[in-house]
């Protein structure tokens, strides 16, 4: 039976919006929810990058268009975006580690997303593996649609017996929330 829930679908289809709505529903029903999501950053009507935002409200850059890497680090690039690994790890790793070390009892950990930018971080990959294995923790996350060369870790998640993957489309995105919440709530038991 599936314990973890991941959403997949093309960019801009509404995966993060569904994750945010599901988090609110779960929190309001008394389920402890922690984690992070990624948010588009726009300037003058065009996308200039992405921020990582924790559910407790902390925010920092995940990537920016064409910006050089921070001094003393090597450049991680996805298309036109340069990934700020230091900023990402400072925000994402503590919320994942907190879940692994938290007190017993069911909890939900939001991981939006496990994608190409985030996978430059080996500590992140290890933290996601630990979170997926943590007793009582249900992961509610997003993974990209497979295209081109598959991302090995994404395929590892997709093929796990304890993972339910929902494909989000423009046609079904407004109807999936109850199914996602029900699946997450039943996963922790």
């Amino acid at each position: 039976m599936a314990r973890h829930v991941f959403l997949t679908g093309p960019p801009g289809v509404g995966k993060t919006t569904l994750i945010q709505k599901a988090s609110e529903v779960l929190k309001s029903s008394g389920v402890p929810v922690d984690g992070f999501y990624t948010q588009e950053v726009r300037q003058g009507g065009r996308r200039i990058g992405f921020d990582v935002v924790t559910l407790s409200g902390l925010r920092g850059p995940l990537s920016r268009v064409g910006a050089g890497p921070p001094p003393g680090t090597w450049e991680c690039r996805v298309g036109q975006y340069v990934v700020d690994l230091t900023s990402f790890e400072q925000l994402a790793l503590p919320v994942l580690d907190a879940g692994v070390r938290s007190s017993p009892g069911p909890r939900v950990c939001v991981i939006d997303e496990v994608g190409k930018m985030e996978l430059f971080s080996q500590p992140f990959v290890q933290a996601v593996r630990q979170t997926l294995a943590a007793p009582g923790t249900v992961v509610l996350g997003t993974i990209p649609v497979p295209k081109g060369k598959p991302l090995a870790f994404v395929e590892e998640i997709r093929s796990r017996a304890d993972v339910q993957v929902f494909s989000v489309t423009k046609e079904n995105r407004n109807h999936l929330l109850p199914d996602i919440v029900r699946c997450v709530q039943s996963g922790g038991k």
Side-chain angles (χ1 to χ4, degrees), residues 8-11 47 78 113 116 144-151 154-155 158:
T8 191
R47 185 166 67 198
V78 176
E113 91 172 334
K116 208 177 258 188
V145 174
K147 65 178 188 215
K149 185 178 177 217
L151 301 169
V154 171
E155 294 312 306
R158 188 187 312 276

Side-chain angles (χ1 to χ4, degrees), residues 157-174:
I157 291 170
R158 188 187 312 276
S159 64
R160 286 176 62 115
D162 62 351
V163 167
Q164 167 81 44
V165 177
F166 286 89
S167 290
V168 181
T169 65
K170 286 183 176 168
E171 293 73 35
N172 73 4
R173 67 183 177 193
N174 295 326

Side-chain angles (χ1 to χ4, degrees), residues 135-149:
T137 298
V138 177
V139 173
L140 173 58
T142 62
I143 52 177
V145 174
K147 65 178 188 215
K149 185 178 177 217

Side-chain angles (χ1 to χ4, degrees), residues 4-181:
H4 306 294
V5 176
F6 281 83
L7 310 183
T8 191
V13 78
K15 298 180 297 291
T16 296
T17 301
L18 272 169
I19 289 269
Q20 290 169 320
K21 287 179 179 177
S23 296
E24 288 308 312
V25 170
L26 292 161
K27 275 186 199 171
S28 68
S29 70
V31 176
V33 181
D34 201 1
F36 72 92
Y37 61 91
T38 52
Q39 188 171 55
E40 201 176 72
V41 178
R42 291 186 161 273
Q43 189 174 58
R46 67 182 270 269
R47 185 166 67 198
I48 61 162
F50 296 90
D51 277 353
V52 58
V53 183
T54 67
L55 295 187
S56 62
L58 299 174
R59 170 187 290 267
L62 169 61
S63 65
R64 291 296 183 268
V65 171
T73 63
W74 55 284
E75 184 171 271
C76 300
R77 189 178 275 277
V78 176
Q80 64 181 338
Y81 300 103
V82 175
V83 179
D84 186 337
L85 266 189
T86 303
S87 168
F88 170 66
E89 289 177 346
Q90 285 174 345
L91 288 164
L93 294 180
V95 295
L96 296 180
D97 288 344
V100 172
R101 300 186 209 318
S102 71
S103 58
R107 68 177 280 278
V108 174
C109 183
V110 171
I111 305 176
D112 174 26
E113 91 172 334
V114 180
K116 208 177 258 188
M117 290 184 192
E118 296 83 1
L119 293 179
F120 280 115
S121 168
Q122 282 309 301
F124 172 72
V125 171
Q126 290 309 112
V128 171
R129 279 196 178 109
Q130 289 175 336
T131 305
L132 287 166
T137 298
V138 177
V139 173
L140 173 58
T142 62
I143 52 177
V145 174
K147 65 178 188 215
K149 185 178 177 217
L151 301 169
F153 186 56
V154 171
E155 294 312 306
E156 176 186 319
I157 291 170
R158 188 187 312 276
S159 64
R160 286 176 62 115
D162 62 351
V163 167
Q164 167 81 44
V165 177
F166 286 89
S167 290
V168 181
T169 65
K170 286 183 176 168
E171 293 73 35
N172 73 4
R173 67 183 177 193
N174 295 326
H175 311 290
L176 281 178
L177 184 61
D179 292 340
I180 292 166
V181 169

